[in-house]
């Protein structure tokens, strides 16, 4: 075999292996993002073919509490966003698990169940990938919640 043939086979093999990997804008999420309001931060990292994130809130006393686990994975040609939240209630800790589906490389996710939130959208700054806005819609009638974050590392 010639060197060109070997390189062609290797490149074709990598193209099939890479078909389930996170691509595009989602890769820009990797790092630590702090809320501009100062109420907490999110940490995202690549683990295999998935993006794994954790959301933390800072209490008034300065303690850091993990409140959510996030995951973005590619299933076929769609992105799947999983959100696992924890809330302190009078009876203990309440855990909610939500699944959202996005289309290809866009970071707009819609809830597959009839639960709230209805959708989650991640957008980066126009000229800077160091700014991130998360828009969470709880219903079509209510005003969406907008969170602004800045990349720390």
């Amino acid at each position: 075999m010639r060197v060109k043939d070997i390189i062609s086979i290797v490149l074709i093999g990598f193209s099939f292996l890479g078909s389930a990997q996170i691509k595009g804008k989602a890769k820009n999420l990797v790092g630590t993002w702090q809320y501009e309001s100062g109420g907490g931060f999110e940490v995202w990292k690549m683990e295999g073919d998935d993006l794994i994130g954790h959301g933390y809130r800072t209490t008034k006393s300065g303690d850091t509490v993990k409140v959510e686990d996030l995951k973005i994975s590619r299933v076929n040609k769609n992105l799947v966003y999983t959100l696992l939240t924890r809330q302190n209630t009078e009876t203990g800790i309440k855990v909610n698990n939500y699944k959202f589906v996005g289309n290809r490389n866009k970071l707009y996710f819609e809830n597959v169940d009839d639960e709230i939130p209805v959708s989650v959208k991640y957008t980066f700054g126009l000229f800077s990938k160091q700014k991130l806005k998360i828009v969470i819609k709880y219903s079509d009638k209510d005003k969406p919640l907008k969170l602004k974050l800045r990349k720390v590392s």
Side-chain angles (χ1 to χ4, degrees):
M1 282 184 130
R2 294 183 306 180
V3 174
K4 284 185 177 180
D5 295 334
I6 293 171
I7 292 172
S8 297
I9 291 171
V10 170
L11 290 176
I12 291 170
F14 279 127
S15 68
F16 287 114
L17 290 174
S19 63
Q21 294 178 348
I22 300 294
K23 301 177 185 175
K25 294 179 183 179
K27 283 191 170 184
N28 294 326
L29 282 174
V30 175
T32 302
W33 297 85
Q34 186 165 4
Y35 292 101
E36 284 188 355
S37 64
F41 58 95
E42 289 185 6
V43 179
W44 286 91
K45 59 185 171 182
M46 287 295 296
E47 286 188 9
D49 293 337
D50 300 331
L51 265 170
I52 305 295
H54 303 286
Y56 299 91
R57 298 296 177 266
T58 307
T59 63
K60 291 179 183 177
S61 62
D63 294 334
T64 302
V65 179
K66 183 168 133 179
V67 294
E68 58 191 8
D69 292 314
L70 311 157
K71 180 179 177 182
I72 297 176
S73 56
R74 182 175 288 282
V75 177
N76 296 326
K77 293 186 178 185
N78 294 319
L79 292 176
V80 176
Y81 179 79
T82 305
L83 170 66
L84 182 82
T85 63
R86 294 172 190 81
Q87 295 174 321
N88 289 326
T89 63
E90 294 174 0
T91 57
I93 296 175
K94 180 181 176 186
V95 178
N96 296 314
N97 192 0
Y98 304 101
K99 293 257 189 218
F100 300 83
V101 175
N103 189 1
R104 298 202 182 255
N105 293 330
K106 294 185 179 183
L107 296 176
Y108 176 73
F109 303 96
E110 295 180 320
N111 198 330
V112 293
D113 298 322
D114 289 334
E115 297 182 30
I116 57 172
V118 175
S119 66
V120 177
K121 181 179 179 182
Y122 285 77
T123 55
F124 292 96
L126 183 60
F127 298 111
S128 171
K129 301 297 181 220
Q130 305 299 311
K131 293 181 180 181
L132 176 66
K133 183 167 58 170
I134 304 172
V135 178
I136 304 170
K137 283 183 88 174
Y138 289 97
S139 75
D140 293 330
K141 297 175 186 173
D142 295 333
K143 189 175 179 180
L145 173 65
K146 296 179 183 178
L147 303 170
K148 293 182 180 181
L149 295 92
R150 182 171 299 277
K151 194 168 192 173
V152 179
S153 65

